[in-house]
Amino acid sequence: MNSRNDKHPTLKILVVDDRKENLIAMQKILRVLDCEIFIVESGNEALSFTLRHDFALILLDVNMPEMDGFELAELLRSNDETSQIPIIFVTASDTEDQSVFKGYESGAVDYLFKPVNPDILLSKVRVFLELNLRKIELESMQTELKRSNESLMEFAQVVSHDLKNPLNVITGLSELLLARHSSELSMKGQGYISKISVTAERMTHLITDLLSYAQLNANASSYTEVDLNRVINHVITDLSSTIEQNKGQVMVRHTLPIIQADATQMYQLFQNIIGNGIKYHRAEVAPIIQISLVHNEEHGAFTVLIEDNGIGMRSEDIPHIFTAFKRLDNAKGYEGTGIGLATVKKIIDRHQGSIEVTSELGQGTTFLIKMYESQEEM
């Protein structure tokens, strides 16, 4: 669209009436508005114009030869490119109730009756022009936000790659130094090298987690059929060495549903919670994760319970655990980036679900994740 003042787009109104005197009268009333007025004398002409211009509003006479206003409105509604154009019917019909009912069925958003009151006409038209202007501004903001998110993701991926490369070199050289030259180093020197390697590895995990968190903001979710049983099996397989190392168990007590969801995000969700359950275990107790299912009666909802027997937390700490980089006092002796549960919360929000947490310090934690089998049922 062209811009009349470089701030707002030029809005366009189409007036359709088979009587030239009515068109001239309408044009005279509407010319006080900051918009372009197009006038046509038939439904066929109107169809042609709507395919060549983006109209904010159509003022449409009901009674016209060849194609009346109802037929034209139905044609416009059936076309994706014109289906969203607001239509105000203008009529002199004596059978008001029947005419109005038919008009709304055809897609009218409002009605005016002849002879048209100029003040009422201008008032109604201004409302629809303002709505159209807000719609254009919103679409522009969405386009700019999408472009900005894409640029941010490109930047994040480049930075992630450029940061990980030297960290991988540091980790590799530290391990090589310990493997080949540990006998030449004092115990203190070996400890320093080990700390360098562990710190570099921790930084690599932090970059990976930050990138995953950023991707949730920048990428649109891709919903497909997702079997949560397969997702959890993949998570358990990928965490198997950590589970075995800690002599832990992951017990799935019920068959979970197949849902409409983003498969990658579902993997991230369960990987973070199950991984935390294994990681934050009490030294004297082997970690046990139990996964069970509760079906709710409302709208295909279900709740997955993930219980662990780990270090737990104080009730006053629970409201803070989904904040990025927030680490609780009793978790500071464990490796972690503080982003995992923030990612979980964002994934659940994007799937229109909810999460609750119950916990007791030193006794374990239970996550109650409410979701829907279909995104349309929410």
Side-chain angles (χ1 to χ4, degrees), residues 205-221:
H205 290 317
L206 177 59
I207 292 167
T208 300
D209 289 350
L210 275 172
L211 187 60
S212 297
Y213 188 73
Q215 285 174 329
L216 287 175
N217 291 320
N219 294 339
S221 299

Side-chain angles (χ1 to χ4, degrees), residues 49-321:
F49 269 70
T50 57
L51 296 175
R52 290 184 281 127
H53 299 274
D54 293 325
F55 289 109
L57 178 66
I58 297 176
L59 293 165
L60 178 56
D61 183 35
V62 170
N63 299 308
M64 296 186 295
E66 298 181 11
M67 182 191 298
D68 66 23
F70 302 129
E71 293 173 301
L72 176 58
E74 287 172 359
L75 285 172
L76 293 173
R77 284 287 172 267
S78 66
N79 187 318
D80 289 341
E81 294 183 12
T82 58
S83 62
Q84 299 303 314
I85 304 174
I87 297 172
I88 295 180
F89 274 128
V90 183
T91 181
S93 174
D94 293 330
T95 56
E96 288 184 10
D97 291 342
Q98 183 180 355
S99 176
V100 168
F101 180 73
K102 186 175 180 182
Y104 286 129
E105 275 194 329
S106 302
V109 294
D110 209 340
Y111 249 92
L112 285 169
F113 295 95
K114 297 177 182 179
V116 173
N117 182 306
D119 292 332
I120 294 176
L121 171 63
L122 290 173
S123 176
K124 289 179 181 289
V125 169
R126 284 193 177 101
V127 169
F128 286 104
L129 292 181
E130 182 66 21
L131 288 172
N132 188 260
L133 190 59
R134 298 286 82 81
K135 175 175 172 284
I136 292 169
E137 289 174 352
L138 179 61
E139 289 172 348
S140 177
M141 289 171 61
Q142 288 173 333
T143 300
E144 178 59 25
L145 181 62
K146 182 180 178 183
R147 186 202 63 77
S148 177
N149 280 339
E150 289 172 351
S151 297
L152 182 61
M153 275 310 306
E154 286 181 18
F155 173 76
Q157 287 170 346
V158 169
V159 169
S160 171
H161 179 268
D162 289 349
L163 286 175
K164 280 183 177 180
N165 274 348
L167 288 171
N168 290 336
V169 171
I170 292 171
T171 302
L173 289 177
S174 298
E175 292 174 353
L176 188 63
L177 187 60
L178 285 174
R180 295 187 179 180
H181 303 284
S182 59
S183 60
E184 303 170 28
L185 297 170
S186 66
M187 292 297 294
K188 185 177 286 189
Q190 291 179 38
Y192 289 153
I193 297 297
S194 294
K195 286 182 179 178
I196 290 172
S197 178
V198 169
T199 303
E201 191 171 348
R202 186 187 306 133
M203 187 65 180
T204 300
H205 290 317
L206 177 59
I207 292 167
T208 300
D209 289 350
L210 275 172
L211 187 60
S212 297
Y213 188 73
Q215 285 174 329
L216 287 175
N217 291 320
N219 294 339
S221 299
S222 176
Y223 296 111
T224 57
E225 277 198 351
V226 178
D227 185 341
L228 294 182
N229 304 286
R230 294 188 64 186
V231 170
I232 289 177
N233 285 337
H234 290 158
V235 169
I236 293 172
T237 299
D238 292 345
L239 291 174
S240 58
S241 60
T242 303
I243 294 170
E244 290 171 9
Q245 182 180 345
N246 290 281
K247 300 179 180 178
Q249 296 181 67
V250 179
M251 304 163 63
V252 183
R253 298 197 172 279
H254 301 100
T255 300
L256 301 181
I258 297 172
I259 68 171
Q260 289 289 321
D262 185 298
T264 301
Q265 292 177 21
M266 287 298 101
Y267 177 90
Q268 290 176 297
L269 188 158
F270 287 104
Q271 192 272 341
N272 275 301
I273 294 180
I274 295 172
N276 280 354
I278 298 297
K279 182 195 304 180
Y280 297 110
H281 71 275
R282 290 173 284 159
E284 69 279 9
V285 179
I288 298 176
I289 313 296
Q290 300 184 72
I291 301 172
S292 51
L293 175 69
V294 176
H295 272 291
N296 302 325
E297 295 181 0
E298 52 172 342
H299 310 301
F302 63 93
T303 300
V304 176
L305 279 67
I306 306 177
E307 306 169 75
D308 67 51
N309 62 342
I311 61 174
M313 67 191 85
R314 298 173 301 177
S315 58
E316 58 265 34
D317 288 331
I318 291 175
H320 308 292
I321 62 174

